[in-house]
Amino acid sequence: MIGRKLQRKSEEDKAVELKGFDDFEVRLGDMMRGERATMGKSLLDVQRELRIKANYIAAIENTDPSAFDTPGFIAGYVRSYARYLNMDPDIAFAAFCRESGFTVAHGMSSQASGVRPGRVVEKKLSQGGERDPFTAPNTPFIPEREGFFSQIEPRAVGSSLVLLALIAGIGYGGWTVLKEVQQVQVAPVEQVPMVLSDLDPLKGAVASRAAGDENDAPSAEALDRLYRPQALDVPVLMARDAPISTLDPRSVGTLAAPELPQVQIASAEPVRPEESVPQVVEQAAPHLAMVAVRPSWVRVRAADGSVIFEGIMESGQTYQIPATEEPPTLRAGESGAIYFAVNGKHYGPVGERGVVTSKLPLSIDAVTQRYQVADLQQDRDLARMVAEAQTTQTEGQ
């Protein structure tokens, strides 16, 4: 019995064998899938963030280099994916080469040229292998692209149609209102105008037919009545200060003539002194005028810079200089043709012939101090103009 117990215990020790972590072979794909699961990323998430196809990511995890179109890009894909998973890219690529048997080929060699994945898949299927959805060129786990009509919702189409109908109705209503506003309607007048009622349209025709001339024009009286303006009602104005306006200053107030005692003379009417009103007489202030004896372009500017007169003064034309607080200035193109008239005397000319004069103050003091009385013998045009003015004045008297 003792021997049997020992034999059963040895059999139980042989059946239970504990293995450690190092007893299992951890492949590169298992490590990558674990890291990707820890990050909570799917193949489509990795494809969207790394810009690498999902079937390439699955091929890296399965250490299948035949799924790549170009073997020359495998090293970059593996290192990029390992760097994305926070793994050492060199160790990951070395493990990929060791497990898959992939070797880096020269870029000009025939091994570096890509093999279409369709051929590899067909070859595996022809050998009796199962179709791997991750290594197939057409990834079935990616959602299929929806059609154009499947993205259209009937409710959205109905809302769009209602909106278009509303816009069309508002536009048509606005166009109708605008058309009605612009349309002019003529309505008959119940009462004939006064001017037309006074005229007899057949009167002229009967008169012309009786005279035997059909082309006679209507009479002047008919035209006068037709085009005569209608008389307006003139309002009656009442002065508010009527009592004041009726007062005569010659009879009331300090300006009234004193009343003298009347002297009774036999056989004679009483003599009253003539009513006299004091008058204040003041000599008119001298004025300054600009005279042109030949054509000349002039421009007169006010003190604020605005142009008050500009043009070509012809021979014999004069321009009255306005009396302002600050004198205006003159710019003349033909200075020898412009003179100034002050109290019947001519001063000037403004300058020599063919010379442009500018910024000349137009005041009586400035003109009399700057220029002398013009000599009529030196300018024949000025003498002729003065003689014509004197002749015209003599004939008027």
Side-chain angles (χ1 to χ4, degrees), residues 17 27 92 95 112 141 143 149 157 163 193 329 333 343 352:
E17 293 182 0
R27 302 182 61 85
F141 52 84
F149 294 100
V157 174
L163 180 60
T329 57
N343 292 335
E352 299 180 358

Side-chain angles (χ1 to χ4, degrees), residues 26-36 85 87:
V26 181
R27 302 182 61 85
L28 177 63
D30 299 333
M31 296 176 61
M32 288 186 170
R33 277 189 289 269
E35 293 293 337
R36 179 166 58 82
L85 298 176
M87 298 173 61

